[in-house]
Amino acid sequence: MPLEATMICIDNSEFSRNADYAPSRLEAQTEAVNLICGAKSQQNPENSVGVLTMAGERVDVLLTPTMDLGKMLSSITEIRIAGESDFVRAVQTAQLALKHRQNKNQKQRIVVLIGSPIAATDKQIEQLGKNLKKNNVAIDLVSFGEVEQNNAKLQKLQQNANASENSHVVEVPAGARLLSDVLLSSPVVQQDGEGGGGG
């Protein structure tokens, strides 16, 4: 498995109160983050994971990339719901956190859990994708809640950021399956390319 540093962006906007994903959008995300952190640690013990929240007064880096699974999991217990998410700034902040990773041999990856409408313009999205590609940062976009509304922008970002199929969009419609269950068989967790999901 490749050696990676990953930043996970969590959508803690007011939209995350909704209970269309059990038990709520925010709690569904924390379960998904637990899954991703565990999977990254299993894939390579030298993988590191960091966490940030996208909404509130500012984008808040809760944890810079670390190999300590305990810190990863405890960082998400204090998340508060607030305001609107700033998608572009969150991805830029995650990219900056990865740039300052301790082990420069680690490949860079951002995983964004997005459950609210993306306010950014198409031009901002396109520029963001090109910037990620230029800096060799892969991005996995997990869309839930506002799947149809965000589809075009997320596809555009993925297309502009994608290099050697390293970036993916996984759409999770509301329904019987848990967010973490869908991710389990998606490229977000199955980094060798196995599993379903869009992208």
Coordinates of all heavy atoms in Angstrom, one line a residue, residues 74-133:
S74 N -9.9 10.6 18.8 CA -10.4 11.6 19.9 C -10.6 13.0 19.3 O -11.4 13.8 19.9 CB -9.4 11.6 21.0 OG -8.2 12.1 20.6
S75 N -10.0 13.3 18.2 CA -10.1 14.7 17.6 C -11.5 15.0 17.1 O -11.9 16.1 17.1 CB -9.1 14.8 16.5 OG -9.5 14.1 15.3
I76 N -12.3 13.9 16.8 CA -13.6 14.2 16.3 C -14.7 14.2 17.3 O -15.9 14.4 17.0 CB -13.9 13.1 15.2 CG1 -13.9 11.7 15.7 CG2 -13.1 13.3 14.0 CD1 -14.3 10.7 14.7
T77 N -14.4 14.0 18.6 CA -15.4 13.9 19.6 C -16.0 15.2 20.0 O -17.0 15.3 20.5 CB -14.9 13.1 20.9 OG1 -13.7 13.8 21.4 CG2 -14.5 11.7 20.5
E78 N -15.2 16.3 19.8 CA -15.6 17.6 20.2 C -16.2 18.5 19.1 O -16.3 19.7 19.3 CB -14.4 18.3 20.8 CG -13.7 17.6 22.0 CD -14.7 17.5 23.2 OE1 -15.4 18.4 23.5 OE2 -14.7 16.4 23.8
I79 N -16.6 17.9 18.0 CA -17.0 18.8 16.9 C -18.4 19.4 17.2 O -19.3 18.7 17.7 CB -17.1 17.9 15.6 CG1 -15.7 17.5 15.2 CG2 -17.8 18.7 14.5 CD1 -15.7 16.5 14.0
R80 N -18.5 20.7 16.9 CA -19.8 21.4 17.2 C -20.4 21.8 15.8 O -19.6 22.2 14.9 CB -19.6 22.6 18.0 CG -19.0 22.3 19.4 CD -20.1 21.9 20.3 NE -19.5 21.4 21.6 CZ -19.3 20.1 21.9 NH1 -19.6 19.2 21.0 NH2 -18.9 19.8 23.1
I81 N -21.7 21.8 15.7 CA -22.4 22.2 14.5 C -22.5 23.7 14.5 O -22.8 24.3 15.5 CB -23.8 21.6 14.4 CG1 -23.7 20.1 14.3 CG2 -24.6 22.2 13.3 CD1 -25.0 19.3 14.4
A82 N -22.1 24.4 13.4 CA -22.1 25.8 13.3 C -22.1 26.3 11.9 O -21.3 25.9 11.1 CB -20.9 26.4 14.1
G83 N -23.1 27.2 11.5 CA -23.0 28.0 10.3 C -23.0 27.2 9.0 O -23.5 26.1 8.9
E84 N -22.3 27.8 8.0 CA -22.2 27.2 6.7 C -20.8 26.8 6.4 O -19.8 27.4 6.9 CB -22.6 28.3 5.6 CG -24.0 28.8 5.7 CD -24.3 29.8 4.7 OE1 -23.4 30.2 3.9 OE2 -25.4 30.4 4.8
S85 N -20.6 25.7 5.6 CA -19.3 25.2 5.3 C -18.6 26.0 4.2 O -19.3 26.4 3.3 CB -19.3 23.7 5.0 OG -20.0 23.5 3.8
D86 N -17.3 26.2 4.3 CA -16.5 26.9 3.3 C -15.7 25.9 2.6 O -14.6 25.6 3.0 CB -15.7 28.0 4.0 CG -15.0 28.9 2.9 OD1 -14.9 28.5 1.8 OD2 -14.6 30.0 3.3
F87 N -16.3 25.3 1.5 CA -15.7 24.2 0.8 C -14.3 24.5 0.3 O -13.3 23.8 0.5 CB -16.6 23.7 -0.3 CG -16.1 22.6 -1.1 CD1 -16.2 21.3 -0.6 CD2 -15.5 22.8 -2.3 CE1 -15.8 20.2 -1.3 CE2 -15.1 21.7 -3.1 CZ -15.2 20.4 -2.6
V88 N -14.2 25.6 -0.4 CA -12.9 25.9 -1.1 C -11.8 26.2 -0.1 O -10.7 25.6 -0.1 CB -13.1 27.1 -2.0 CG1 -11.7 27.6 -2.5 CG2 -14.0 26.8 -3.2
R89 N -12.1 27.0 1.0 CA -11.1 27.3 2.0 C -10.7 26.0 2.7 O -9.6 25.9 3.1 CB -11.7 28.4 2.9 CG -10.6 28.7 4.0 CD -10.9 30.0 4.6 NE -10.6 31.1 3.7 CZ -11.0 32.3 3.8 NH1 -11.8 32.7 4.8 NH2 -10.7 33.2 2.9
A90 N -11.7 25.1 3.0 CA -11.4 23.9 3.7 C -10.4 23.0 2.9 O -9.4 22.5 3.5 CB -12.6 23.1 3.9
V91 N -10.6 22.9 1.6 CA -9.7 22.1 0.8 C -8.3 22.8 0.7 O -7.3 22.1 0.8 CB -10.2 21.9 -0.6 CG1 -9.2 21.2 -1.6 CG2 -11.5 21.1 -0.6
Q92 N -8.3 24.1 0.6 CA -7.0 24.8 0.6 C -6.2 24.7 1.9 O -5.0 24.5 1.9 CB -7.3 26.3 0.3 CG -7.7 26.6 -1.1 CD -8.2 28.1 -1.3 OE1 -8.6 28.7 -0.4 NE2 -8.1 28.5 -2.6
T93 N -7.0 24.7 3.0 CA -6.4 24.6 4.3 C -5.8 23.1 4.5 O -4.7 22.9 5.0 CB -7.4 24.9 5.4 OG1 -7.9 26.2 5.2 CG2 -6.8 24.8 6.8
A94 N -6.6 22.2 4.0 CA -6.1 20.8 4.1 C -4.8 20.6 3.2 O -3.9 19.9 3.7 CB -7.2 19.8 3.5
Q95 N -4.8 21.2 2.1 CA -3.6 21.2 1.2 C -2.4 21.8 1.9 O -1.3 21.2 1.9 CB -3.9 21.9 -0.1 CG -2.8 21.7 -1.1 CD -3.2 22.4 -2.4 OE1 -4.3 22.8 -2.7 NE2 -2.2 22.6 -3.3
L96 N -2.6 22.9 2.6 CA -1.5 23.5 3.4 C -1.0 22.6 4.5 O 0.2 22.5 4.7 CB -2.0 24.9 3.9 CG -1.0 25.9 4.4 CD1 0.0 26.2 3.2 CD2 -1.6 27.1 4.9
A97 N -2.0 22.0 5.2 CA -1.6 21.1 6.3 C -0.8 19.9 5.8 O 0.2 19.5 6.4 CB -2.8 20.6 7.0
L98 N -1.1 19.4 4.6 CA -0.4 18.3 4.0 C 1.0 18.8 3.5 O 2.0 18.0 3.6 CB -1.2 17.7 2.8 CG -2.4 16.9 3.1 CD1 -3.2 16.6 1.9 CD2 -2.1 15.7 3.9
K99 N 1.1 20.0 3.0 CA 2.4 20.5 2.5 C 3.4 20.5 3.7 O 4.6 20.3 3.4 CB 2.2 21.9 2.0 CG 3.4 22.6 1.4 CD 3.1 23.9 0.9 CE 4.3 24.6 0.2 NZ 4.1 25.9 -0.2
H100 N 2.9 20.7 4.9 CA 3.8 20.8 6.1 C 3.9 19.4 6.8 O 4.3 19.4 8.0 CB 3.3 21.9 7.0 CG 3.5 23.2 6.4 ND1 4.7 23.8 6.1 CD2 2.5 24.1 6.0 CE1 4.5 25.0 5.6 NE2 3.2 25.2 5.5
R101 N 3.5 18.3 6.1 CA 3.6 17.0 6.7 C 5.1 16.7 7.1 O 6.0 17.2 6.4 CB 3.0 15.9 5.8 CG 3.8 15.7 4.5 CD 3.0 15.0 3.5 NE 3.7 14.7 2.2 CZ 4.1 15.6 1.3 NH1 3.7 16.9 1.5 NH2 4.8 15.2 0.2
Q102 N 5.3 15.9 8.1 CA 6.6 15.6 8.6 C 7.4 14.7 7.6 O 8.6 14.9 7.3 CB 6.6 15.0 10.0 CG 6.2 16.0 11.0 CD 6.2 15.3 12.4 OE1 5.7 14.2 12.6 NE2 6.6 16.1 13.4
N103 N 6.7 13.7 7.1 CA 7.4 12.8 6.2 C 7.1 13.1 4.7 O 6.0 12.9 4.2 CB 6.9 11.3 6.5 CG 7.6 10.3 5.7 OD1 8.3 10.6 4.7 ND2 7.4 9.0 6.0
K104 N 8.0 13.7 4.0 CA 7.8 14.2 2.7 C 7.7 13.0 1.7 O 7.4 13.2 0.5 CB 8.9 15.1 2.2 CG 9.1 16.4 3.1 CD 7.8 17.2 3.0 CE 8.0 18.5 3.8 NZ 6.8 19.3 4.0
N105 N 8.0 11.8 2.1 CA 7.8 10.6 1.2 C 6.4 10.2 1.1 O 6.0 9.4 0.2 CB 8.6 9.4 1.7 CG 10.1 9.7 1.6 OD1 10.6 10.3 0.7 ND2 10.9 9.2 2.6
Q106 N 5.5 10.7 2.0 CA 4.1 10.4 2.0 C 3.4 11.1 0.8 O 3.6 12.3 0.6 CB 3.4 10.8 3.3 CG 3.8 10.0 4.5 CD 3.3 10.6 5.8 OE1 3.2 11.8 5.9 NE2 2.8 9.7 6.7
K107 N 2.6 10.3 0.1 CA 1.8 10.9 -0.9 C 0.7 11.7 -0.2 O 0.3 11.4 0.9 CB 1.2 9.9 -1.9 CG 2.2 9.2 -2.7 CD 1.6 8.3 -3.7 CE 2.7 7.7 -4.7 NZ 2.1 6.7 -5.6
Q108 N 0.1 12.7 -0.9 CA -0.9 13.6 -0.2 C -2.3 13.3 -0.7 O -2.5 13.1 -1.9 CB -0.5 15.1 -0.6 CG 0.8 15.5 -0.2 CD 1.2 16.9 -0.7 OE1 0.9 17.9 -0.1 NE2 1.8 16.9 -1.9
R109 N -3.2 13.2 0.2 CA -4.6 12.9 -0.1 C -5.5 13.7 0.8 O -5.3 13.8 2.0 CB -4.9 11.4 0.0 CG -6.4 11.1 -0.4 CD -6.6 9.6 -0.4 NE -5.8 8.9 -1.4 CZ -6.1 8.8 -2.7 NH1 -7.2 9.4 -3.1 NH2 -5.3 8.2 -3.6
I110 N -6.6 14.2 0.2 CA -7.6 14.9 1.0 C -8.9 14.1 0.8 O -9.3 13.7 -0.3 CB -7.8 16.4 0.5 CG1 -6.5 17.2 0.7 CG2 -9.0 17.0 1.2 CD1 -6.6 18.6 0.0
V111 N -9.6 13.9 1.9 CA -10.9 13.2 1.8 C -11.9 14.3 2.3 O -11.8 14.7 3.5 CB -11.0 11.9 2.7 CG1 -12.4 11.4 2.6 CG2 -10.0 10.9 2.2
V112 N -12.9 14.6 1.5 CA -13.9 15.6 1.9 C -15.3 15.0 2.0 O -15.8 14.4 1.1 CB -14.0 16.8 0.8 CG1 -14.9 17.9 1.4 CG2 -12.6 17.4 0.5
L113 N -15.8 15.1 3.2 CA -17.2 14.6 3.4 C -18.1 15.9 3.3 O -18.0 16.8 4.1 CB -17.4 14.0 4.8 CG -16.4 12.8 5.1 CD1 -16.4 12.5 6.6 CD2 -16.9 11.6 4.3
I114 N -18.9 15.9 2.2 CA -19.7 17.1 2.0 C -21.2 16.8 2.0 O -21.7 16.1 1.2 CB -19.2 17.8 0.6 CG1 -20.0 19.1 0.4 CG2 -19.3 16.8 -0.5 CD1 -19.5 20.3 1.2
G115 N -21.9 17.4 3.0 CA -23.3 17.2 3.1 C -24.1 18.5 3.2 O -25.2 18.5 3.7
S116 N -23.6 19.5 2.5 CA -24.3 20.8 2.4 C -24.0 21.4 1.0 O -23.0 21.0 0.4 CB -23.9 21.7 3.5 OG -22.5 22.0 3.4
P117 N -24.9 22.3 0.5 CA -24.6 22.8 -0.8 C -23.3 23.6 -0.9 O -22.9 24.3 0.0 CB -25.8 23.8 -1.0 CG -26.8 23.4 0.0 CD -26.1 22.8 1.1
I118 N -22.6 23.4 -2.0 CA -21.3 24.1 -2.3 C -21.6 25.4 -2.9 O -22.2 25.5 -4.0 CB -20.4 23.2 -3.2 CG1 -20.1 21.9 -2.5 CG2 -19.1 24.0 -3.6 CD1 -19.4 20.9 -3.4
A119 N -21.1 26.5 -2.2 CA -21.4 27.8 -2.7 C -20.4 28.3 -3.7 O -20.7 29.3 -4.4 CB -21.5 28.8 -1.5
A120 N -19.3 27.7 -3.8 CA -18.2 28.2 -4.7 C -18.7 28.2 -6.2 O -19.6 27.4 -6.6 CB -17.0 27.3 -4.6
T121 N -18.1 29.1 -7.0 CA -18.4 29.1 -8.4 C -17.7 28.0 -9.2 O -16.7 27.4 -8.7 CB -18.0 30.5 -9.0 OG1 -16.5 30.6 -8.9 CG2 -18.6 31.7 -8.2
D122 N -18.2 27.8 -10.4 CA -17.5 26.8 -11.2 C -16.1 27.1 -11.5 O -15.2 26.2 -11.5 CB -18.2 26.6 -12.6 CG -19.6 25.9 -12.4 OD1 -19.8 25.4 -11.3 OD2 -20.3 25.8 -13.4
K123 N -15.8 28.4 -11.6 CA -14.4 28.8 -11.9 C -13.5 28.6 -10.7 O -12.4 28.1 -10.8 CB -14.4 30.3 -12.3 CG -13.0 30.8 -12.7 CD -13.2 32.1 -13.5 CE -11.8 32.7 -13.9 NZ -11.1 31.8 -14.9
Q124 N -14.0 28.8 -9.5 CA -13.3 28.5 -8.3 C -13.0 27.0 -8.1 O -11.9 26.6 -7.8 CB -14.1 29.0 -7.0 CG -14.1 30.5 -6.8 CD -14.9 30.9 -5.6 OE1 -16.1 30.6 -5.6 NE2 -14.4 31.6 -4.7
I125 N -14.0 26.2 -8.5 CA -13.9 24.8 -8.4 C -12.8 24.3 -9.4 O -12.0 23.5 -9.0 CB -15.2 24.1 -8.7 CG1 -16.2 24.4 -7.5 CG2 -15.1 22.6 -8.8 CD1 -15.9 23.8 -6.2
E126 N -12.9 24.8 -10.6 CA -11.9 24.4 -11.6 C -10.5 24.8 -11.2 O -9.6 23.9 -11.3 CB -12.3 25.1 -12.9 CG -11.5 24.6 -14.1 CD -11.9 25.2 -15.4 OE1 -13.1 25.6 -15.5 OE2 -11.1 25.4 -16.3
Q127 N -10.3 26.0 -10.7 CA -9.0 26.4 -10.3 C -8.5 25.6 -9.1 O -7.3 25.2 -9.1 CB -9.1 27.9 -9.9 CG -7.7 28.6 -9.6 CD -6.8 28.6 -10.9 OE1 -7.3 28.9 -11.9 NE2 -5.6 28.1 -10.7
L128 N -9.4 25.2 -8.2 CA -9.0 24.4 -7.0 C -8.5 23.1 -7.5 O -7.5 22.6 -7.0 CB -10.2 24.3 -6.1 CG -10.0 23.5 -4.8 CD1 -9.1 24.3 -3.9 CD2 -11.4 23.3 -4.1
G129 N -9.2 22.5 -8.4 CA -8.8 21.1 -9.0 C -7.5 21.2 -9.6 O -6.6 20.3 -9.4
K130 N -7.2 22.2 -10.5 CA -6.0 22.4 -11.2 C -4.8 22.5 -10.2 O -3.7 22.0 -10.4 CB -6.0 23.5 -12.2 CG -6.9 23.2 -13.4 CD -7.0 24.4 -14.3 CE -7.8 24.0 -15.6 NZ -8.0 25.2 -16.5
N131 N -5.1 23.3 -9.1 CA -4.0 23.5 -8.1 C -3.7 22.3 -7.4 O -2.5 22.0 -7.1 CB -4.6 24.6 -7.1 CG -3.4 25.2 -6.3 OD1 -2.3 25.2 -6.7 ND2 -3.8 25.7 -5.1
L132 N -4.7 21.4 -7.1 CA -4.4 20.1 -6.4 C -3.6 19.3 -7.3 O -2.6 18.6 -6.9 CB -5.8 19.4 -6.1 CG -6.6 20.1 -5.0 CD1 -8.0 19.4 -5.0 CD2 -6.0 19.9 -3.6
K133 N -3.9 19.2 -8.6 CA -3.2 18.4 -9.5 C -1.8 18.8 -9.7 O -0.8 18.0 -9.7 CB -3.9 18.4 -10.9 CG -3.3 17.4 -11.9 CD -4.2 17.4 -13.2 CE -3.7 16.3 -14.1 NZ -4.5 16.2 -15.3

